[in-house]
Amino acid sequence: MAMDPAIVRLGNMNTNRYRYFRWTPRTAWISFVYIAVVPTIFGVMAYATDGKYDLRAKRKGDIISEF
């Protein structure tokens, strides 16, 4: 069975992706968002809700918020 040249080319591109990567303003911005902005948002959300919810030993009808 013959291999499809487009699939072979795609496979080679995926294994050698690091060779074709270039820093552009777009890739720098995306990297900054995933490295700094997203963890900051999750950290702020975690800090704001720290201790607010208690999920241990709750029964049906009990509320989960502590305050």
Side-chain angles (χ1 to χ4, degrees):
M1 186 157 108
M3 296 291 290
D4 185 8
I7 294 175
V8 171
R9 197 166 54 242
L10 178 65
N12 289 334
M13 183 71 166
N14 281 338
T15 56
N16 298 319
R17 185 178 302 261
Y18 68 95
R19 293 182 184 171
Y20 300 105
F21 179 79
R22 295 186 191 272
W23 283 106
T24 62
R26 181 176 184 267
T27 57
W29 175 249
I30 291 171
S31 298
F32 174 73
V33 167
Y34 281 114
I35 292 171
V37 176
V38 172
T40 302
I41 291 171
F42 281 116
V44 168
M45 287 175 20
Y47 183 76
T49 61
D50 186 35
K52 185 173 183 178
Y53 301 109
D54 184 20
L55 301 175
R56 296 182 87 191
K58 294 296 179 179
R59 294 191 175 125
K60 186 176 181 178
D62 290 345
I63 59 172
I64 63 169
S65 63
E66 293 294 318
F67 53 89

